[in-house]
Amino acid sequence: MVRLLLLCHGNICRSPLAAALIRAAVDADPLLAGKVCVASAGTSDEHVDEGMHAESARILQSRGLTTGHRAQQLTPGLATSQDLILAADRSNIRAAEQLLGAAAVQRKVTLLRDFDPSAVGRDLDDPWGFPSEAYERAAREIDAVIPGLLADLHTRIGTLSDAQEP
């Protein structure tokens, strides 16, 4: 099982949206379904236990996806249980370093958009406080990441399978 955590600031806009979109793609892939656990968290505690932002939920609903998301904060225990942590932007990586230490972050955290070879810029802009178009743009940028991420997950699952064989 590969454990994947999506990380943003408050865990109400970008990371739960990304987690839901990526989870749907993983579940639709017969080689990955049941082998990848996708979750999300934020570096801040300001929205803990809140639901997803209405605009992110609207995007998911328009795609036939639902989630019972409740925001949570990244903790050392949560980070330790993950194989890969994908941060929405570089400020999330800096905040994770303060919470977890630089060595832990260097081993597990990378930027989400690094999986999109055609991405212009590395950060997934925070749509919070902006009109619905900003949320739509974030969803498109997440969609563009999915093929590269799925390819990486295929490699990880293959490596795990190889390691488990005698």
Side-chain angles (χ1 to χ4, degrees):
M1 176 73 65
V2 172
R3 296 177 98 40
L4 173 65
L5 184 76
L6 285 298
L7 183 67
C8 71
H9 177 76
N11 193 219
I12 60 168
C13 298
R14 295 172 292 172
S15 60
L17 177 61
L21 295 175
I22 291 166
R23 188 178 306 112
V26 164
D27 290 347
D29 185 318
L31 297 176
L32 297 177
K35 297 178 183 171
V36 179
C37 178
V38 183
S40 66
T43 58
S44 168
D45 66 356
E46 66 192 275
H47 295 289
V48 168
D49 289 328
E50 289 182 22
M52 182 184 297
H53 189 282
E55 285 296 324
S56 292
R58 180 190 58 75
I59 290 169
L60 293 179
Q61 185 177 24
S62 74
R63 295 178 182 206
L65 302 173
T66 59
T67 177
H69 174 76
R70 303 310 294 171
Q72 66 176 338
Q73 185 180 21
L74 179 67
T75 63
L78 179 60
T80 299
S81 68
Q82 304 304 310
D83 297 301
L84 180 61
I85 300 173
L86 301 179
D89 62 42
R90 288 169 284 191
S91 69
N92 302 142
I93 291 177
R94 289 188 295 276
E97 286 174 344
Q98 292 177 346
L99 291 168
L100 309 174
V105 169
Q106 189 174 32
R107 284 191 308 273
K108 289 191 178 185
V109 182
T110 190
L111 287 169
L112 174 63
R113 293 198 69 206
D114 285 351
F115 288 93
D116 176 5
S118 63
V120 176
R122 297 182 69 209
D123 291 342
L124 179 63
D125 292 333
D126 192 348
W128 190 85
F130 289 95
S132 60
E133 293 79 23
Y135 291 83
E136 294 288 346
R137 184 183 69 242
R140 285 191 307 273
E141 290 177 354
I142 293 164
D143 287 338
V145 162
I146 290 174
L149 178 58
L150 293 183
D152 180 82
L153 292 171
H154 278 269
T155 300
R156 288 174 188 268
I157 294 295
T159 301
L160 286 176
S161 297
D162 293 345
Q164 293 172 356
E165 291 180 13

